[in-house]
Amino acid sequence: MISFQTKAQFNKDAAVILLTKSQIEKKKFNFSNAKIQNAVLDLAKNKTFCGDKDSIFPLTNEKKLVLLVGVDESKDANLTSLRITIKKALSSSYLKNAKTIELIPQVNDEPSIQALIEGIMIGAYKWKKYIKADEKEIKLKQIIIATPNKPAYQKTIEICDGVNFTRDLVNDNADVITSEYFEKTIKSLIKGKKNIALKILNTKELSAQGCGLHLAVNKGSDKEPKLIIVKYAGGKKSEPYTALVGKGLTFDSGGLNLKPTGHMETMRCDMSGAAAVVGTLKNVLKLNIKKNLVFVCGMAENAIGSCSYKPGDVFVGYAGKSVEIGNTDAEGRLVLADTIAYTVKNYKPATLIDIATLTGAVAVGLGFDFSGLLSNDQKLADALLKSSQETDDRIWQLPLYVEIRDAIKSNYADLRNSSNIKGGGAITGAEFLRNFIGDTKSWAHLDIAGSAFVEGTSRMYYGYGGTGAGVRLLTHYLINN
Ligand SMILES: [Zn+2]
């Protein structure tokens, strides 16, 4: 979909030229094609095109379309505005019939070109499986970026591919993307790869291991609960393991504490954490990242039936701790409690990062553009925050503190899965998980309940549906730490 050439040739169906206001004002552009150079100079002189943010001006050159696009350079401008601009420009109706497009940026530094690639690939993504055939026909465009140097852009393309792969998993029907489907997907990703071991625990094995919390959540479902673990020895033998643990609720009805209308329609996205882990696994294998890693997906479905687990009941999990069910809709932390405890005991990772659509509260606090980050290790938190800044896969740190522990105390069990206090749900959710990390000194929890899915209209350069939150962040973190 994206390729490169060292300079503009103006020989494709269309050319898209990115220009800022000051480039237009100071006439700081130099196109190899004299006709286009003169045409843009004229437009600049007549002030017909001034390079205003996101403005689009079509000009034709021997039947080929040249689209001038204004790029923001105000003090608020950043690489995200560039991502948004290119998404808007490429979806312009002028380019409807253009199959091959030359993209001609005037700024060619590495972060800008990477941002353009992200704006193109993440921006162009659409979930089309169930829409009308004629709309589906809109073919993927070939974009050729004219830029003198091309350092590591193939890597950016692969990473965006991993993001969109994750979005496909999130967007399809809950009855398609089941735990079985995850198992198949993971098997096909790791097929023929070296230094990899797969372990799967189904109902029988989960029961034998005492994963009573994971099993409780799945009681109302006819789908198989699964704990899927991929151990990847990509690094040196002496190097410690990092575990990535994802919440994989393939559908969350809320259980007997049923979610109301308006809160359930997007709940096929409740496996976005596990999907991000799988997308990151894809990236790690594709980019041959040399690290020792454990990828873990805790898969279940929170459905309703005569066997559903009930509020007020107490279950004991893998770590031997009992939990009173305060609310059957706080099920993700139950699955994760067993998933994390099992990972810690059997794989002893030095670092464990879990990623989960855990709490609606995180979106109340942070909105939808940031995932919540909570950690017991500031060094790990800082590394993740740095990756967040460099990838635009946004996270914001929330506090973990000793006094909050009282909020999940129970009169009947070691812990309660819902909080006794109002507010701070993202923090009490993380505090619950902290009880299952054992001696892990470096743990981070990413709450992507707000950021993983766009409902209705599009947000920034994401369309509607799954965003692939966490994939760019985790891949960048693994490459750089
Ligand atoms: Zn829930």
Side-chain angles (χ1 to χ4, degrees), residues 212-288:
L213 299 174
H214 190 155
L215 289 169
V217 171
N218 208 74
K219 279 178 72 170
S221 172
D222 62 349
K223 316 261 186 333
E224 186 81 22
K226 281 179 193 288
L227 175 55
I228 309 175
I229 304 165
V230 175
K231 187 180 177 187
Y232 170 66
K236 293 198 187 92
K237 250 192 175 154
S238 57
E239 280 170 11
Y241 273 79
T242 295
L244 303 180
V245 178
K247 169 185 166 183
L249 264 290
T250 55
F251 192 74
D252 179 16
S253 67
L256 292 178
N257 291 111
L258 188 66
K259 285 180 188 290
T261 297
H263 289 82
M264 206 196 294
E265 295 79 356
T266 61
M267 279 302 120
R268 66 184 185 282
C269 86
D270 213 16
M271 34 57 85
S272 296
V277 168
V278 176
T280 308
L281 166 67
K282 182 180 187 290
N283 286 348
V284 164
L285 296 176
K286 199 88 194 180
L287 300 173
N288 194 21

Side-chain angles (χ1 to χ4, degrees), residues 144-333:
I144 301 146
I145 304 179
T147 187
N149 1 291
K150 44 171 176 169
Y153 299 141
Q154 199 52 41
K155 190 166 85 183
T156 311
I157 292 172
E158 297 293 359
I159 292 171
C160 290
D161 237 9
V163 172
N164 290 343
F165 178 83
T166 295
R167 296 164 93 183
D168 280 346
L169 286 174
V170 173
N171 285 329
D172 207 339
N173 287 0
D175 280 343
V176 175
I177 311 294
T178 58
S179 60
E180 298 270 349
Y181 189 96
F182 259 76
E183 179 178 335
K184 268 191 224 152
T185 303
I186 290 170
K187 279 181 174 163
S188 75
L189 280 179
I190 64 173
K191 199 176 171 202
K193 302 284 180 189
K194 279 184 195 156
N195 307 320
I196 250 179
L198 174 68
K199 182 165 188 173
I200 296 170
L201 283 74
N202 294 317
T203 307
K204 203 173 133 209
E205 295 82 13
L206 288 168
S207 174
Q209 291 292 331
C211 296
L213 299 174
H214 190 155
L215 289 169
V217 171
N218 208 74
K219 279 178 72 170
S221 172
D222 62 349
K223 316 261 186 333
E224 186 81 22
K226 281 179 193 288
L227 175 55
I228 309 175
I229 304 165
V230 175
K231 187 180 177 187
Y232 170 66
K236 293 198 187 92
K237 250 192 175 154
S238 57
E239 280 170 11
Y241 273 79
T242 295
L244 303 180
V245 178
K247 169 185 166 183
L249 264 290
T250 55
F251 192 74
D252 179 16
S253 67
L256 292 178
N257 291 111
L258 188 66
K259 285 180 188 290
T261 297
H263 289 82
M264 206 196 294
E265 295 79 356
T266 61
M267 279 302 120
R268 66 184 185 282
C269 86
D270 213 16
M271 34 57 85
S272 296
V277 168
V278 176
T280 308
L281 166 67
K282 182 180 187 290
N283 286 348
V284 164
L285 296 176
K286 199 88 194 180
L287 300 173
N288 194 21
I289 297 174
K290 293 189 168 33
K291 286 198 74 105
N292 292 329
L293 300 166
V294 193
F295 300 87
V296 190
C297 297
M299 309 303 303
E301 185 186 51
N302 191 14
I304 297 184
S306 57
C307 295
S308 293
Y309 77 132
K310 295 163 182 73
D313 280 359
V314 174
F315 296 90
V316 180
Y318 182 80
K321 289 180 184 172
S322 59
V323 179
E324 176 199 351
I325 307 306
N327 190 319
T328 60
D329 197 8
E331 81 300 328
R333 66 196 67 184

